[in-house]
Amino acid sequence: DPKRALSKKRRPGKAPVVISRRHLAAAGCAILILAGVVAGLWLLGRWNTREASDITAAPVSLPDKYAGRFLELNAMLTAVRERLSNLNEPTRPQREQMETAAARLREAEEKRNAGDITAVALAEEALEYYLAALIAPASMTFVPSGQVTVDGVAQRAPAFYIDKTEVTLREFAQFCAQVEDGWPLPDELTGAGDMYGEHPVHYVTWFDAQAYAVWKKKALPTRAQWARAAYGNPQASDIYPWGGEWQTDAANVQTNNGTQPVRSFKSDATWSGCFDMAGNVMEWTRTAATNNGKNAFPDFGDSMFVCGGSFLTAQPLRGAALRPVETRSPDLGFRCVIEIATTAESVALLLDRAK
């Protein structure tokens, strides 16, 4: 029972442990951010000290405001392409991503030489695709940058990778056992065993999900990222992955059977290649109910958006609900993302990840 689990979590005797775990997750975020800044400054310094002929072979015909950014992108593209040249046997998705990137880059150079400022956006897209091919994380799907509408407001989401499935009980149990000093498996899942290993982990608080994401060098998705992966294609339905009309047995929604192994419902697959976004368990995001700062870490009592439907609750893909960060529920889990930004800091971290 979620209320029983929550009341147990709030017992005074456990309060110091909960707080320390929250601080551990926050510290993990801070360490990653600091590492990104340091690596980014170091790598950007290397790029800026290259000979001009090593950065670009053609004169930049863009206005000064855009010419500097184009040169910076070209330098990052050079570094990423050099790393990609060492790939022995790229997979089919990697080959397709590199082909798309090369096409975007050719178009960007043509636009640049014509003085067209759209060259910068094309070069950024080329870099995103090259980075996607470089890191190619297992069990994740690439979502290119693009538009998505959230609560009636259109916004652009930068490129990212997202887990194809919800994090499983097996994966979360590995984290609990392997993270330094350990992490407690939710009481409700103790003794679940291998039979439920491929079911999505649930009864996890936002802090549990955040700690796992940091351990994996990933992040929880923003609400916009989740929406982009769910229905952010012009041809995709924002109600269900299969369309606008309900289909019986198309997803694990409003059943008395509890969670089911991930990928159990073929119809519950989105345009981006994600499974179980309409059902199984609802999913934590890192988007807070209130705008308390872009990178602010939530406090106890704060609420975060959760997305998707579950075996207890039917909800369209475009919908969302709010849950306090301490919530433990039998139908609440999560999945993670790796963001692909075209800043020096982000590119440096992704190059390091790909080693």
Side-chain angles (χ1 to χ4, degrees):
D1 179 69
K3 292 182 179 178
R4 176 179 62 82
L6 184 55
S7 65
K8 289 194 300 181
K9 190 69 175 179
R10 288 176 173 168
R11 284 206 298 264
K14 290 190 176 182
V17 178
V18 173
I19 292 174
S20 65
R21 291 171 192 157
R22 173 181 176 270
H23 289 170
L24 174 61
C29 288
I31 291 170
L32 286 179
I33 293 170
L34 180 60
V37 171
V38 173
L41 291 174
W42 174 79
L43 191 53
L44 184 57
R46 287 187 60 198
W47 289 333
N48 288 339
T49 56
R50 290 184 178 185
E51 294 293 332
S53 60
D54 191 36
I55 294 176
T56 179
V60 176
S61 303
L62 296 171
D64 291 344
K65 178 180 178 181
Y66 300 94
R69 175 58 174 162
F70 192 91
L71 287 173
E72 180 187 36
L73 287 166
N74 226 338
M76 290 187 281
L77 281 160
T78 299
V80 176
R81 292 173 75 187
E82 285 177 355
R83 185 72 65 82
L84 279 168
S85 66
N86 296 324
L87 282 180
N88 293 323
E89 296 182 7
T91 64
R92 179 177 177 181
Q94 284 177 307
R95 290 196 302 271
E96 292 174 348
Q97 288 161 352
M98 287 188 285
E99 289 170 0
T100 300
R104 294 284 197 282
L105 185 54
R106 286 193 297 271
E107 188 176 356
E109 289 170 344
E110 291 172 0
K111 296 286 187 181
R112 181 274 309 269
N113 293 335
D116 189 336
I117 63 175
T118 60
V120 172
L122 287 165
E124 287 176 339
E125 287 185 26
L127 181 55
E128 289 173 348
Y129 275 96
Y130 275 129
L131 286 167
L134 179 66
I135 63 174
S139 303
M140 302 187 82
T141 185
F142 175 61
V143 182
S145 57
Q147 294 287 332
V148 64
T149 299
V150 178
D151 290 339
V153 178
Q155 51 187 285
R156 185 171 180 80
F160 58 95
Y161 269 102
I162 187 168
D163 290 335
K164 292 180 180 179
T165 71
E166 298 140 337
V167 173
T168 65
L169 175 57
R170 172 182 55 79
E171 291 169 329
F172 193 80
Q174 289 174 348
F175 154 70
C176 292
Q178 296 175 18
V179 68
E180 186 176 357
D181 297 327
W183 193 273
L185 190 69
D187 293 342
E188 295 82 357
L189 302 179
T190 302
D194 293 339
M195 177 179 176
Y196 297 97
E198 296 309 309
H199 285 235
V201 68
H202 46 294
Y203 285 111
V204 284
T205 68
W206 186 92
F207 298 118
D208 292 328
Q210 168 69 6
Y212 175 91
V214 171
W215 181 69
K216 294 289 288 186
K217 296 183 179 180
K218 297 181 181 181
L220 295 179
T222 64
R223 186 181 173 194
Q225 288 170 334
W226 196 97
R228 170 75 174 146
Y231 62 87
N233 182 289
Q235 285 73 49
S237 169
D238 63 357
I239 302 178
Y240 305 114
W242 54 87
E245 299 295 329
W246 174 251
Q247 293 181 10
T248 304
D249 298 329
N252 187 25
V253 177
Q254 287 187 311
T255 70
N256 295 319
N257 300 325
T259 61
Q260 297 298 310
V262 296
R263 298 178 186 249
S264 292
F265 295 82
K266 294 182 179 179
S267 296
D268 194 357
T270 70
W271 72 276
S272 64
C274 290
F275 293 86
D276 301 312
M277 285 189 139
N280 227 5
V281 294
M282 302 176 80
E283 301 173 19
W284 286 111
T285 75
R286 72 172 189 269
T287 300
T290 56
N291 185 18
N292 57 354
K294 183 177 180 181
N295 296 314
F297 199 79
D299 204 346
F300 287 97
D302 289 349
S303 292
M304 311 296 284
F305 280 103
V306 297
C307 296
S310 76
F311 72 90
L312 291 178
T313 305
Q315 181 171 245
L317 296 176
R318 68 187 176 205
L322 291 171
R323 295 289 185 272
V325 291
E326 309 98 324
T327 302
R328 292 187 183 276
S329 172
D331 68 334
L332 182 54
F334 67 101
R335 72 181 76 213
C336 300
V337 300
I338 297 175
E339 297 177 329
I340 301 179
T342 56
T343 64
E345 295 85 358
S346 177
V347 173
L349 284 173
L350 293 172
L351 282 169
D352 185 66
R353 174 185 282 271
K355 285 182 180 178

